[in-house]
Amino acid sequence: MAVKSTTQRLFSRIRDRNGPNSDKVSEQVRRVLVTSLYAHPSSLAIGALATVSAAGVAAWVADLPELYVCAAVLAIIAFARLVAAFGMSPESEGNSTRKLELIYEIGAFSFALALGITAAYTILVAPETHIEVLMVANALGYGIGVSARNAGRLNIAIGQLALSCVPTALVCFWVGRPSLIALGITILLLIPAMISISGNIFTVLRNSIAAAETSANLAKRMEILARTDVVTGLANRAGLNHDMLDKKAKAPNAPFALFWIDLDRFKEVNDLLGHPVGDRVLKGVANRLLDLAPDCATVARFGGDEFIIYCEVNDIVEAQRIGSEIHAETMRPFRIDGERLEVRASVGVAMQPEHGSDADTLMQSADLALYHAKVGGRAQTCFFDSSMTRDLVRRREIEEELRVAIQRDELSIFFQPIVDLETGRIKTFEALVRWFHPEKGELKPDEFIPVAEETGVIVTLGNWITAQAARIAAKWPEDVTVAVNLSPLQIRAPGAALGVKNALREAGLDPRRLELEVTESLFIEDNHATARFIEELSEIGVRFALDDFGTGYSSLGYINSFPFSKIKVDRSFVSGAKVGKKSDAIIRAVAEMGGALGMDIVAEGLETVEQVQVVRDAGCNLGQGYYFSRAVPDYLASMLLAQERESGARQKIA
Ligand code: C2E
Ligand code: CA
Ligand code: CA
């Protein structure tokens, strides 16, 4: 009774010292503490070996069968404990903390009790003192050692200490010899002392494990924060990288799809309505993407107005379905502060493993597909295909080399005549740029003009072309004009009109001899700069031609609102697939209107005499095409003009 109450008090003191919840450790800390019981099972083996052999020696020396039985019981328990200690892994999730603890408890308590009883019994029956000393010292040594070793689980440590030592103390008091009573008292004093020591060890252990746990939790929270986008709450770039690796590691052979979503013209939302509204739109888009994405998907914001969905898909059909849902969902108008707001997105999709087995390659593929979606007119989904890589490589090369091509003299201007269909005389030469690449050979303008437009090189290139063309045209007879193609980007660039004026001045060319060919795409965006450019140059006499008519919107509205002097009917109406009764009727209608408005109508792409006949009959007054001449270098253009004048003069003389 006395022993029990002392233990209880001691327990409560330890508890008080460690705060009210000190015996309540978190499950994680408890697991670590229980794991410590299973650490170094070799120390268990040494203890067991020492104890069992001591009992065996005692039994042999005393020649008492009961002690043999005790030694055997100790050996059996020790063996069972060692099997459990070596066999049960605390790392395995199948072994719950409670199970590990219980199994350890049963083994530890039964061994301690068996040893305690053996030692106590030896005092009663051993014929010689040194046998008593052997067993009592063993029991006490075991109790002390184990209460330090198992301090991580205080109840086990104290239980083992009590079970291994108390029987001896009780027997000492029961026998009642003064020396034994003294021993009994010593043991009873030893127990609280050891409990206090174990308690201290336990506190230090638990506190340091709890501190480690706290910092581990903190680190985990920081990690989560570092992987989250603050605006949308989605994964950010780091989070996406992490999730991609994680998902792939869990299902290495499963097919995945990566959707790279870019909001079209989101910059305008930010610029016009402000960043707070922009952020709300981003949040709205994020929520919709989260809703439509499969449950297991990672949805991330990849900077600015770009999002990524990465998920397992059964096949390309499922990926296509997700792609169309992305469009449907992003296009649904947002209501922000009572305002209706519409957003559109371009989507690039790459499939794993077909388009990239590792994350980097997959991202590159999706990025390329996205680029094609944007170039192809936005608000659409493009799936990656391998030709995109080839295109890109060539484009990159062209992009790099184009910048130096002008300085290296690799570019030149060729001229294609535009001929009067009545007289056969050259009225105009259209300037067409040519690139003679030292390795790639002759490059088509269709291949490098778009790259020049994308990279902005078109401004420098365009100014150079205009200047060259004007310089050469200045040498031609006064009634021959020159036509230069202008790309929309070049026209919208600041100082565009000034560039043309400078070219004219430096070449000394009359502005009325310059014609600028523009396409309908220029007018898709209602742009003030475009109108200013046309107005400013028209004022000084520069003329404008509407190029490739019939390939775009073919709206007659532009013809009405801008001062065009010429319409060029696209060659697809002359020699392409559109040729037939319909195209004939269209050419007729355009020619009739042109005639009424005093405009020239040019038929492009004339290759045969029959085609010349058809367009002339339809009312076109000018023609251009291989039938008359291909585009030729400037000296050949001059020769064509000289020949024409000569034969004209001969005709006159004749
Ligand atoms: P475009 O303005 O429609 O130029 C006419 C194109 O048709 C030229 O191709 C010309 O060689 C080709 N062509 C002329 N007659 C015939 C024919 O009878 N049959 C066929 N099949 N084709 C014919 P090119 O020189 O390859 O130029 C392609 C396009 O590149 C041009 O189309 C124009 O949009 C652009 N481009 C060419 N040079 C320049 C330039 O200096 N500046 C800008 N911005 N664009 C240019
Ligand atoms: Ca043209
Ligand atoms: Ca054309």
Side-chain angles (χ1 to χ4, degrees):
M1 223 20 214
V3 173
K4 203 178 167 195
S5 65
T6 317
T7 319
Q8 265 177 348
R9 248 183 289 128
L10 240 138
F11 254 113
S12 65
R13 214 178 325 138
I14 294 170
R15 215 178 302 154
D16 291 346
R17 202 189 313 150
N18 301 323
N21 292 324
S22 65
D23 60 339
K24 279 197 201 125
V25 287
S26 81
E27 186 49 34
Q28 230 172 322
V29 174
R30 204 173 126 190
R31 178 88 189 180
V32 178
L33 290 170
V34 169
T35 305
S36 76
L37 297 175
Y38 282 82
H40 308 298
S42 52
S43 68
L44 267 185
I46 294 167
L49 187 71
T51 312
V52 172
S53 34
V57 169
W60 175 58
V61 174
D63 197 22
L64 287 170
E66 304 96 295
L67 283 185
Y68 276 116
V69 173
C70 288
V73 169
L74 280 168
I76 291 167
I77 300 172
F79 180 73
R81 290 190 73 198
L82 284 174
V83 169
F86 281 103
M88 285 186 61
S89 163
E91 273 81 44
S92 155
E93 283 190 14
N95 293 327
S96 71
T97 307
R98 187 63 209 130
K99 182 175 152 195
L100 287 167
E101 199 171 15
L102 192 70
I103 287 175
Y104 194 91
E105 261 171 8
I106 293 169
F109 289 157
S110 44
F111 191 82
L113 185 64
L115 179 58
I117 289 172
T118 307
Y121 188 68
T122 319
I123 296 173
L124 288 178
V125 297
E128 290 167 60
T129 318
H130 59 260
I131 301 173
E132 287 173 32
V133 173
L134 174 65
M135 283 322 294
V136 170
N138 243 287
L140 294 185
Y142 177 83
I144 292 166
V146 101
S147 64
R149 180 190 188 274
N150 294 347
R153 291 315 289 144
L154 205 51
N155 54 340
I156 297 180
I158 294 169
Q160 280 181 288
L161 176 69
L163 289 172
S164 59
C165 299
V166 170
T168 306
L170 291 179
V171 167
C172 284
F173 290 123
W174 191 63
V175 173
R177 278 205 304 266
S179 56
L180 287 181
I181 290 174
L183 178 62
I185 292 169
T186 312
I187 293 172
L188 287 190
L189 288 176
L190 181 79
I191 291 174
M194 276 321 294
I195 290 176
S196 169
I197 291 170
S198 302
N200 283 339
I201 299 176
F202 167 75
T203 310
V204 171
L205 251 176
R206 191 219 37 212
N207 286 354
S208 59
I209 293 170
E213 192 204 8
T214 310
S215 53
N217 283 345
L218 210 71
K220 208 180 241 169
R221 267 218 297 280
M222 300 281 282
E223 208 174 82
I224 292 173
L225 222 66
R227 290 188 191 139
T228 308
D229 171 54
V230 275
V231 176
T232 59
L234 297 179
N236 61 11
R237 215 173 262 238
L240 175 75
N241 287 344
H242 172 267
D243 278 19
M244 280 179 81
L245 292 176
D246 193 49
K247 285 199 160 69
K248 198 76 197 116
K250 281 185 186 145
N253 299 319
F256 281 86
L258 189 137
F259 301 81
W260 196 319
I261 303 144
D262 185 315
L263 303 184
D264 297 335
R265 308 218 163 99
F266 185 72
K267 195 179 168 301
E268 286 167 24
V269 175
N270 264 341
D271 289 352
L272 294 174
L273 305 171
H275 283 264
V277 174
D279 283 357
R280 282 165 71 183
V281 173
L282 289 174
K283 254 181 253 171
V285 172
N287 288 339
R288 289 182 187 179
L289 292 180
L290 271 177
D291 285 347
L292 72 89
D295 289 342
C296 56
T298 293
V299 182
R301 177 170 172 227
F302 206 71
D305 56 355
E306 293 180 26
F307 294 87
I308 280 179
I309 297 179
Y310 178 69
C311 59
E312 234 180 284
V313 288
N314 294 322
D315 48 27
I316 196 140
V317 179
E318 192 184 350
Q320 278 161 344
R321 185 185 54 73
I322 296 173
S324 16
E325 270 177 44
I326 293 173
H327 285 295
E329 279 303 302
T330 44
M331 266 157 70
R332 230 164 14 92
F334 287 95
R335 281 231 163 264
I336 289 179
D337 296 339
E339 290 238 29
R340 207 179 117 101
L341 226 137
E342 271 180 51
V343 200
R344 273 159 198 258
S346 301
V347 184
V349 192
M351 307 289 289
Q352 198 171 27
E354 300 93 304
H355 305 149
S357 50
D358 61 291
D360 280 349
T361 322
L362 186 71
M363 297 275 287
Q364 271 168 22
S365 303
D367 191 16
L368 255 178
L370 173 64
Y371 170 80
H372 276 253
K374 284 200 273 189
V375 170
R378 299 169 188 265
Q380 56 174 311
T381 299
C382 267
F383 276 72
F384 175 81
D385 89 68
S386 55
S387 67
M388 293 177 179
T389 318
R390 283 197 301 276
D391 280 2
L392 183 82
V393 170
R394 194 166 165 94
R395 283 179 97 94
R396 289 238 170 96
E397 285 172 3
I398 289 176
E399 181 184 333
E400 274 166 31
E401 292 162 351
L402 188 59
R403 293 179 195 277
V404 287
I406 303 176
Q407 282 119 49
R408 286 207 202 130
D409 241 5
E410 288 169 16
L411 294 174
S412 53
I413 318 279
F414 273 38
F415 296 90
Q416 188 179 30
I418 297 174
V419 175
D420 186 323
L421 291 179
E422 281 310 319
T423 63
R425 284 178 74 93
I426 297 170
K427 301 271 284 191
T428 310
F429 274 109
E430 179 177 0
L432 294 163
V433 67
R434 295 285 177 264
W435 183 0
F436 299 97
H437 191 281
E439 283 139 31
K440 295 190 176 79
E442 188 183 334
L443 289 170
K444 294 235 154 276
D446 292 332
E447 215 172 339
F448 64 86
I449 293 285
V451 179
E453 285 176 337
E454 264 161 44
T455 53
V457 177
I458 191 70
V459 179
T460 322
L461 181 64
N463 282 335
W464 179 81
I465 292 168
T466 314
Q468 291 289 100
R471 208 172 44 76
I472 292 163
K475 297 178 198 153
W476 299 333
E478 300 237 321
D479 57 341
V480 181
T481 57
V482 65
V484 175
N485 293 284
L486 291 190
S487 83
L489 236 110
Q490 196 184 338
I491 295 171
R492 292 191 196 118
L498 194 69
V500 176
K501 283 180 184 169
N502 283 346
L504 287 169
R505 205 190 47 244
E506 275 162 30
L509 186 76
D510 181 348
R512 280 168 301 186
R513 291 179 60 202
L514 177 67
E515 206 164 77
L516 297 176
E517 296 193 1
V518 298
T519 55
E520 280 176 306
S521 61
L522 180 63
F523 307 103
I524 289 175
E525 279 173 53
D526 185 25
N527 195 298
H528 187 65
T530 307
R532 274 293 307 145
F533 176 86
I534 295 179
E535 199 182 323
E536 202 178 328
L537 291 175
S538 296
E539 273 170 13
I540 61 163
V542 175
R543 285 183 290 175
F544 284 86
L546 187 59
D547 201 359
D548 303 341
F549 188 79
T551 53
Y553 288 81
S554 309
S555 156
L556 300 175
Y558 321 123
I559 298 169
N560 205 16
S561 36
F562 294 98
F564 290 112
S565 59
K566 199 181 259 181
I567 294 176
K568 299 184 77 176
V569 179
D570 191 69
R571 72 164 175 272
S572 55
F573 287 89
V574 176
S575 53
K578 291 182 188 168
V579 175
K581 266 197 184 147
K582 240 187 188 166
S583 67
D584 206 43
I586 292 170
I587 297 176
R588 248 172 231 286
V590 175
E592 203 169 309
M593 177 195 68
L597 295 172
M599 289 195 277
D600 289 324
I601 307 295
V602 187
E604 292 187 312
L606 298 175
E607 292 182 0
T608 63
V609 68
E610 291 79 17
Q611 287 167 351
V612 175
Q613 219 102 54
V614 170
V615 297
R616 193 169 43 198
D617 293 349
C620 295
N621 61 327
L622 298 173
Q624 177 181 8
Y626 297 165
Y627 173 74
F628 302 108
S629 168
R630 289 181 181 255
V632 295
D634 58 338
Y635 70 92
L636 278 181
S638 302
M639 266 169 68
L640 280 177
L641 285 172
Q643 258 174 13
E644 196 182 76
R645 307 282 132 160
E646 223 171 83
S647 66
R650 264 203 305 273
Q651 264 174 12
K652 258 188 193 163
I653 294 163

